[in-house]
Amino acid sequence: MRRRNMLTAMTAALALSAIQGTTALADNPVLKIGFVGVTSGPAAAWGISNQRSMETRAAWINEIGGYKIGDVTYDIEIVSFDDQKDPKRAIAGMEKMAQEGIHYVVGPNVDDGAAAVRPVAEATGIIYFPYAFPKPLYTAPASNAVLGMVANYQSGPAIYKYLMDERGVKTVAFIAANESDPLSQRDSGRDAAEALGLEVVSANVTYQVDTTEPHLRC
């Protein structure tokens, strides 16, 4: 959870940095940047870290004069939508952003939400920064999602190779939460391990996200 919160904060900063900024006019027009993600329920910390970091960064930008695009300097306003980790609500959130004329959106926070909003983003020209790793979001014909962090299929092979070469590791097992994000990461991790010649001794064990005492399922 701590790693996810740090990376989501970095993603929010990346989204705001996608627009170059400088100094101040007295009464600046407002540039709205959206956030669509989970801010309620068991996974609320994932989205709240996004939202708060965006709001903090926006306040900082506004205090130093705003962002300049061309000859116009803007103040930043963050518009948030709680998708409750529900792909259907994520779609509604992205549609709300489009209706408000918002062109940059951070989120959603999970793979299935990020995939669900893709048609809306592409139809309305929204550039979005999801916390999601599936390659189809970032490769043609997809065109509007930005990968704002290192994906496991980028870092995994280097880690596995180090363990093989420097620690003599020959086998690996994967245990994943029974949700779209961890299952997707498990599958790409398994593929990377097998490509390097590691023996995958298990890759079908899952557990429920709300488990307090492990009850693994094979």
Side-chain angles (χ1 to χ4, degrees):
M1 182 68 76
R2 191 173 300 165
R3 178 177 178 272
R4 176 182 281 269
N5 290 347
M6 179 178 68
L7 287 175
T8 51
M10 291 169 59
T11 304
L14 175 64
L16 291 175
S17 297
I19 310 167
Q20 296 182 348
T22 58
T23 63
L25 294 177
D27 296 310
N28 297 333
V30 173
L31 175 64
K32 295 181 179 181
I33 297 179
F35 166 69
V36 176
V38 54
T39 57
S40 62
W46 301 354
I48 289 172
S49 64
N50 265 145
Q51 182 180 349
R52 289 180 178 171
S53 61
M54 291 174 69
E55 290 169 348
T56 300
R57 176 64 171 156
W60 179 15
I61 290 168
N62 295 341
E63 286 175 6
I64 63 174
Y67 265 94
K68 188 173 183 181
I69 304 175
D71 295 327
V72 181
T73 301
Y74 296 87
D75 287 336
I76 304 299
E77 177 184 340
I78 304 302
V79 179
S80 299
F81 184 93
D82 178 14
D83 68 13
Q84 300 174 5
K85 207 180 173 190
D86 181 340
K88 291 181 180 179
R89 280 190 57 82
I91 293 171
M94 194 66 82
E95 290 173 342
K96 177 180 184 291
M97 301 300 158
Q99 290 166 3
E100 294 197 22
I102 295 171
H103 298 291
Y104 301 93
V105 175
V106 173
N109 302 110
V110 294
D111 288 2
D112 49 4
V117 303
R118 177 185 159 191
V120 178
E122 294 183 353
T124 58
I126 291 175
I127 302 298
Y128 67 113
F129 300 74
Y131 187 100
F133 297 130
K135 292 180 181 179
L137 291 174
Y138 309 106
T139 54
S143 58
N144 287 53
V146 177
L147 179 61
M149 63 215 78
V150 177
N152 68 319
Y153 47 77
Q154 296 170 318
S155 60
I159 295 170
Y160 299 155
K161 190 171 189 314
Y162 171 83
L163 292 173
M164 294 170 68
D165 295 346
E166 303 297 330
R167 295 291 185 265
V169 172
K170 297 180 180 179
T171 61
V172 62
F174 295 88
I175 301 174
N178 192 27
E179 284 195 340
S180 60
D181 288 38
L183 292 176
S184 173
Q185 294 184 48
R186 175 202 64 186
D187 292 346
S188 59
R190 176 203 61 211
D191 293 346
E194 289 177 343
L196 287 169
L198 279 170
E199 179 186 356
V200 177
V201 297
S202 176
N204 64 347
V205 178
T206 63
Y207 63 90
Q208 293 305 119
V209 174
D210 58 356
T211 300
T212 55
E213 295 182 6
H215 297 284
L216 300 180
R217 301 185 306 170
C218 296

